Amino acid sequence: MSPITRIGTTARWSDVVIHNGTLYVVEVPATLEADLATQTGEVLASLQRQLEAHGSGVDKILMATIYLKDIGAIATFNALWDAWLPVGYAPVRACVQAQLAHRDYQVEVQLIAAV
C-alpha cells in the first residue's frame, strides 16, 4: 500500500493529505469580515500555494467542490474562479449553497489534485 502523508495535522483535520499521487486539500477564508470576492481571492491564493508547495498546481486539479453561503452570489465566485484557472484545465466541479462552519465564511473550497 502507498504511504499516506498528512501535513499540518491537528486532532480534527489535516491541511493537506497526499496518497497514491493524489493531493486532497480544503481552504477557508482568513478574513472573516470580508465580502465574497475578497474571501474567494484569499481561498484561491491559499489553494495555489498549497498545491505548488506539494508538487501539484492549478493545472493539475482533478475535482473541486465549492461551498457558498449564498448560491445567488455564484457569478462573483465564477468570475474569480474563471480568471484563476488556466484555459483548458477546468476540473470536474460542483458548487452548492451550504451552511458553513463559521457564520462569517462566505466560501469554502475542497480540491483533489494530481501530484
Side-chain angles (χ1 to χ4, degrees):
M1 177 191 272
S2 300
I4 298 171
T5 303
R6 299 175 197 281
I7 300 159
T9 301
T10 69
R12 189 165 290 149
W13 67 75
S14 293
D15 292 333
V16 174
V17 173
I18 301 170
H19 177 257
N20 205 25
T22 306
L23 180 146
Y24 304 83
V25 62
V26 174
E27 287 296 338
V28 297
T31 308
L32 297 179
E33 62 278 357
D35 63 8
L36 176 61
T38 300
Q39 287 192 0
T40 298
E42 289 177 351
V43 167
L44 296 179
S46 184
L47 286 167
Q48 187 162 351
R49 282 190 303 275
Q50 289 282 28
L51 290 167
E52 291 172 358
H54 302 292
S56 189
V58 176
D59 61 330
K60 294 180 181 176
I61 300 169
L62 304 171
M63 183 174 184
T65 305
I66 297 110
Y67 303 94
L68 295 176
K69 183 176 186 176
D70 176 10
I71 198 72
I74 194 170
T76 298
F77 179 86
N78 281 342
L80 294 162
W81 176 262
D82 293 348
W84 182 66
L85 280 178
V87 174
Y89 290 91
V92 171
R93 184 185 116 158
C95 189
V96 298
Q97 180 169 304
Q99 184 174 349
L100 302 174
H102 191 286
R103 66 181 178 88
D104 292 328
Y105 287 171
Q106 304 295 315
V107 62
E108 184 171 339
V109 178
Q110 175 182 10
L111 297 180
I112 300 171
V115 175

